[in-house]
Amino acid sequence: MNFLTKFSLKNSVAVFIISFLLIFGGLYSYSKLKVEELPDIEFPAISVQVVYPGTAPEDVNEQITTKLETSFKSIEGIKTLSSSSFESVSVINLEFPFNTDMDKVEQQINSTLKEAGLPENVTSKVDRFSFGSFPIYYLSVFSKEGSNIEKVLDEEIVPALNKIEGVNSVSIGGGKSTSLSIELDKEKIAKLGLSLSTVKDQINAKFLSFPAGKITDGDIKVPIRIEEKLDTIQKLKDLELQITSFGTTPNESQTVQPKVLLSDVAKIESITSQDELIRYNEKDSISMAITKKQDANTVAVADKVINVLNKYKKEVSYKVGYSSAEGVKQSVESLVKEGLLGAVFASIAVLLFLRNVRATFIAIISIPLSLLITSIFLLELDITLNIMTLGGMAVAVGRVVDDSIVVIENIFRRIRKSKEGMSNELILSSTKEILKAITSSTITTIVVFLPLGVVGGFTSKIFLPFALTIVFSLLASLLVSITIVPILARYSFKKVPPEEKEEKLQIWYGKLIEKSLNRKWIVIVLAIVLLLGSFSLVGRLGFTFIPNEASRAIIAQLELPSSTSIEKTNDVSLKLEKMFLEMDEVKEISTGVGSRDFMTGLKTENKASYFINLKDSADVDTFIKETKSKMEEVATSEVKGAKVGLQENSSSGPPSNNNVDINLYSNNLVALQESAKKVEEYMKDNDDLKYVTNNFSEKQKQVIVSIDEEKVSKNGISSGYILGLVADQTNPISLGTLKIDGKDQNVQITYNKELQSIEDIKKITLFGKLGPVKLSDVADVKSVETYSTIQKLDGKVYAKVSAQIKGKDIAKVTNDVVNGVKKEIDLPSDVSLKGGGGSDDTMQTFKDLGVAMGVAIGLVYLTMLIAFGKARIPFIILSALVFVPIGSFVALFIAGEPLSISVMIGLLMLIGIVTTNAIVLVDRIGQNIDQKQLPLREAIIEGGKTRLRPILMTAFATIAALLPLALTTSTGTLISKGLAITVIGGLTSSTLLTLVFIPVVYELFFSRKKKNKVKKDKSTIVNG
């Protein structure tokens, strides 16, 4: 690669022009990069939701869930299959390994849904998930100056938001809806032998519009269309009903029937309803949730949304309850700040060693150039600017300067020793002297990231942008160091004072090497002792996947018994809201009462949810602990059996895997519920756990109508007739959206009297061939307690009790909880148990990364073997890795950081970074032996003293650059914080200790060869 240096020196003006073009291209690319919090990773999971109106969980499980589970099992590659059967809804989640072709899987699922033989009146929906599919905004919108907020939103704001490039959907909640109600008189309709369904059919029959052939008018064929429309409320009222019975028995005459209009038996009017109540700080509002398209820029879309809303300031006002864009901006600002501080610190470190402003400027020029060139690559590959790419840049700041430091230091040193002064030949030879060292060290650092492909899964996906950012930065820095740096050196070092005598540090270091070489086994034993001592800290560090970010956003829930009305839920909710706002820690609160369930889309009239933002001064843990008990006190005093929940808001970021799960399996639902309750209580008593949940704790009342086949047959009544009649009495029937009086209106038919009790159900009148009979005459009607949800995992009914782990040692707490449940809880013989949680995935990822490190070391060995051509040299260089764990584990212990995935990536990086210093040292020793023919020990000592300054400079520049990242308390950088601490500690220990250890190992490996060469030379002299 020396030809690039020759070309640059000969064509310096052209190189500068190219450099400026790259700078402008990099700035342009950086400005065009999409900004996200995390890489947009699509999870290999699909959720299938099937709605079967009016069915109980048991029926949903039998007629929908079980059928689909059986069919889905034939899909290749399923990792887990879980299902939940709710009232009227079945939700089935299928998880696959990463790298699965999810488009193909989705096609198979859609085909299966068509061929599964499901009931006719079901609707299904298939969803795929990614980080980008979560809402970027939750807003509370208020009416202003008496404006019709629903009209403004529907006709102006929502259409304007949907026009924004990048907006995927806009969902509105809490608004009032107007519909046309047809309320039938139950007694009159019964006498006429009609029902809601028959009235619905007669109304629909009047909305007729069908083609009826064509006629010929001259040379033109004119189509004929038959139409009949009830397009006004008056026409609806005047609709003549076709009577099938008039309160008679089959033996009486049914020929004479009076004319009956719909208005005679029904009340027809427009009504306004609100099935979801939204508030912000106790003030009524409308909620707005906005999602973006998967490939859209979060920050850009968010800014455009606010611009649209601000155009309607006169009609509406708004408050932001949640904004992912704010989190993205904070993360980006934090990482940019840490990166800039790192660049400043690295520059100061270089200046302290070189003590020359020009040399320092040349050395650090690679920082902006490398990062801007990296931006061009990121834009071309459509990689977003997120905490992983920015973290990669922040980490790379210290490393990209290394090659330039080594080049400029060598040129600077050679010029100070040279008597001829500056010349192109001197720069070329100085660059060539260290070219092999910097090239092999850069390639070594790059190849350590290749094994991330071995890991696979989520870890590989999430860290790929991080790795690519560092790879692009290092390749750019190598290019800069052998092109731009030599040119700048030629112009900057024309007048450089000659080198003085050896520095005191170099003299002291030379003596230290000599003593170490004379006491090799003491050095080796001491290294082993330090290494073993560092591993003793591992058990005290703890294991976690990714450390939790602190959050001042709190999610709270209120759940009342399943039959509770929205009015009662609202009354209790208002008391809780008042309590929240009286707390000093609370900044603002957004409330949703009766909101639709995120998973099923069903109305949850018995539930209320709260999004609470705390003030910066609030102690989150204390607030949660104290507030939950207050919530329970208020809720249970209002409604017996009320349940509350309170926890930090989990962002749409990577999973922390800090959960422990106890799965209980049994077909005995009573035993399963009792066992789950015992496990739940046990886990609540564990101080290491928080947010304990039990998915099998709720029961609800259900009315069972058991038809007596003999009696219904005797009366000439069918089961389908009974089903339809009971459904009419309990569920309003929708006619859909009809155009009435010139506007589209939702039309519903209901009875004027609702069934209030089980006795009302028993009294429902049926018309059979023997005359009218009550439902209780032909069926057994009773109320039972049943389960509101039936959940299955891989086809087996199960209960899941979960909790989050407070501490950092996820693996230890998980094992303690699982073993404690097995030993201390007496489970029935027909209930089986399986424990686990996030620690399983974490430990598997740790094992995978361990394999990746082994592969990385092998790749580094091959790289150095190719570079140096000697099998022993790579072993000597890799011996520097012995000291990595010492500093890394000690630094993590001091900082109180657990072992995490980011720490493991840091250790993987260190394999490349640490070998860089060893390569620079060993390369110089090799040159002394091969080119200068120096004796082994003299070559080692001279090489050490010559390379001491560049080794210390590169190490401390990297350490200084990472200090801001390691010491930060900002959010959005924790994924890089553990990595920074790991690299700082490992690089510190390895740099200081390998300066002694590498010379010792080098002499051990080559001393025998040297002795053999001496013996051979003596033998030649004697024989000669």
Side-chain angles (χ1 to χ4, degrees), residues 705-753:
V705 179
S706 300
I707 297 172
D708 188 314
E709 292 184 12
E710 186 178 337
K711 290 180 180 178
V712 293
S713 177
K714 183 179 178 181
N715 281 272
I717 298 171
S718 68
S719 300
Y721 170 65
I722 294 175
L723 174 62
L725 199 60
V726 173
D728 280 349
Q729 300 275 354
T730 54
N731 291 321
I733 289 183
S734 174
L735 283 168
T737 303
L738 303 178
K739 201 171 190 79
I740 305 291
D741 287 337
K743 59 182 179 180
D744 291 334
Q745 296 190 60
N746 182 41
V747 183
Q748 276 194 336
I749 307 178
T750 60
Y751 280 124
N752 62 338
K753 293 180 182 178

Side-chain angles (χ1 to χ4, degrees), residues 338-352:
E338 316 308 342
L340 290 174
L341 281 173
V344 171
F345 285 7
S347 305
I348 294 171
V350 174
L351 181 61
L352 289 174

